[in-house]
């Protein structure tokens, strides 16, 4: 795979949830957010986990009833996906749209994220490990861990809690992923910091870029995502001359905004192979280590 010779500009959303009277109003919001990021030079746009719960808002009865709201969101995805296909094509960008519950055809809902390419291709990744509240909702785990070949490089998606499990992301890295997208939805700042800590650790372990995008603010009309806290971030391995802190960009917590950062992918590959430390290369040395 050819590594980009120029920095890739990434936009990570700190995304507020609104109650709309129609799906068209939601599509208009998405178009505004995408246009703002594109106007600031972004070519990879990342939206959060469960941001798609806005789709339930047109029917307040559905929005206030958990199972009905899950179905309403799932039913809306074909229309919303078509809008994202067009946005990615129109602006020549890659978009990870907000994830949401999707009926899988066998009587279950999964938490599905979609990656849209300018070419019209769409990749999907289902969340693999359920949180306690998702178990209570009746959301089921996905069954496949994927990596997507794009013109920006190979991209993996670890939805929120999935990022806290090193072997899931390691499998993506070993399949060639240079960028791991981490859409998140956390009620408390403690949850946000768990995902942020995981995102930074996965970047360090695997010599890759990780991008966290959270929901922010209250959506009291929804039984699923009524409270949201966090900040977006773009992370890389800590390395002299690359990023001393491992943080390329950080948002102001709980403020609706895009967070932007440029990542030099060529430099990232140099760090992986010739950096101060070689965490990714030395990963296998853990196997068989003598325990206490």
């Amino acid at each position: 795979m050819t590594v980009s010779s120029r920095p890739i500009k990434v936009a990570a959303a700190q995304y507020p949830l609104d109650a709309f009277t129609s799906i068209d109003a939601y599509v208009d919001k998405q178009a505004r957010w995408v246009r703002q990021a594109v106007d600031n030079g972004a070519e990879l746009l990342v939206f959060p986990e469960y941001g798609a719960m806005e789709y339930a808002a047109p029917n307040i009865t559905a929005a206030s009833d958990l199972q009905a709201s899950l179905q309403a969101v799932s039913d809306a995805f074909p229309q919303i996906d078509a809008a994202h296909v067009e946005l990615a094509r129109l602006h020549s960008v890659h978009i990870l749209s907000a994830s949401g519950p999707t009926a899988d055809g066998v009587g279950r809902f999964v938490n599905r994220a979609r990656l849209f390419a300018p070419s019209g291709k769409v990749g999907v990744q289902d969340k693999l490990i359920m949180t306690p509240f998702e178990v209570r909702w009746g959301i089921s785990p996905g069954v496949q861990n994927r990596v997507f070949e794009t013109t920006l490089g190979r991209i993996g998606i670890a939805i929120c809690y999935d990022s806290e499990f090193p072997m899931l992301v390691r499998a993506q890295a070993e399949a060639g992923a240079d960028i791991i997208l981490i859409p998140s939805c956390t009620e408390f700042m403690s949850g946000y910091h768990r995902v942020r800590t995981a995102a930074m650790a996965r970047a360090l372990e695997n010599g890759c870029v990780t991008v966290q995008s959270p929901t922010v603010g209250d959506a009291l009309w929804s039984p699923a995502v009524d409270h949201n806290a966090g900040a977006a971030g773009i992370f890389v391995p800590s390395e002299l001359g690359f990023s001393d802190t491992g943080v390329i960009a950080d948002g102001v917590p709980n403020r609706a905004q895009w967070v932007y950062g440029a990542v030099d992918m060529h430099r990232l590959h140099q760090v992986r192979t010739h950096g101060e430390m070689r965490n990714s290369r030395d990963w296998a040395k853990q196997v068989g280590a003598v325990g206490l």
Side-chain angles (χ1 to χ4, degrees), residues 135-270:
V135 173
R136 292 194 298 271
W137 293 2
I139 305 294
S140 298
V143 297
Q144 188 171 357
N145 198 8
R146 295 182 169 96
V147 166
F148 305 100
E149 186 80 49
T150 78
T151 56
L152 301 178
R154 290 195 179 114
I155 295 177
I157 303 166
I159 301 175
C160 201
Y161 195 39
D162 283 354
S163 70
E164 299 179 31
F165 294 88
M167 298 305 291
L168 292 183
V169 176
R170 183 64 188 181
Q172 295 175 342
E174 290 183 345
D178 290 318
I179 304 169
I180 307 295
L181 307 182
I182 304 176
S184 66
C185 177
T186 52
E187 184 176 6
F188 305 115
M189 288 299 288
S190 55
Y192 151 68
H193 279 288
R194 283 195 300 272
V195 180
R196 175 191 165 92
T197 299
M200 295 189 72
R202 304 297 84 83
L204 174 64
E205 293 162 354
N206 298 298
C208 66
V209 183
T210 58
V211 184
Q212 182 180 2
S213 166
T215 50
V216 296
D218 289 342
L220 300 181
W221 49 268
S222 172
V225 288
D226 49 350
H227 300 289
N228 303 271
I234 302 168
F235 310 109
V236 295
S238 304
E239 179 81 10
L240 182 66
F242 191 32
S243 172
D244 289 346
T245 62
V247 179
I248 295 294
D250 244 344
V252 177
N254 301 323
R255 176 186 296 176
Q257 65 178 133
W258 280 113
V259 173
Y260 301 98
V263 180
D264 185 334
M265 302 302 292
H266 182 71
R267 177 71 175 125
L268 181 77
H269 277 241
Q270 288 181 322

Side-chain angles (χ1 to χ4, degrees), residues 24-120:
D24 287 342
Y26 175 80
V27 170
D28 288 343
K29 178 184 177 181
Q30 293 293 290
R32 292 194 305 272
W33 273 72
V34 169
R35 191 178 307 112
Q36 182 183 29
V38 170
D39 287 346
N40 280 278
E43 51 196 314
L44 173 59
L45 286 60
V46 184
F47 286 94
E49 178 188 35
Y50 284 121
M53 293 308 295
E54 287 181 308
Y55 303 175
N59 184 334
I60 297 302
T61 300
S64 61
D65 177 84
L66 180 56
Q67 289 304 309
S69 68
L70 300 182
Q71 188 64 58
V73 172
S74 181
D75 290 345
F77 264 123
Q79 183 178 345
I80 303 305
D81 288 350
H84 282 92
V85 167
E86 178 59 19
L87 286 169
R89 184 202 63 77
L90 177 66
H91 297 291
S92 297
V93 294
H94 288 78
I95 302 171
L96 183 74
S97 66
S99 82
T102 303
D104 69 354
V106 292
R108 309 184 316 160
F109 289 106
V110 294
N111 179 5
R112 179 165 295 171
R114 290 127 165 112
L115 181 63
F116 298 87
S119 65

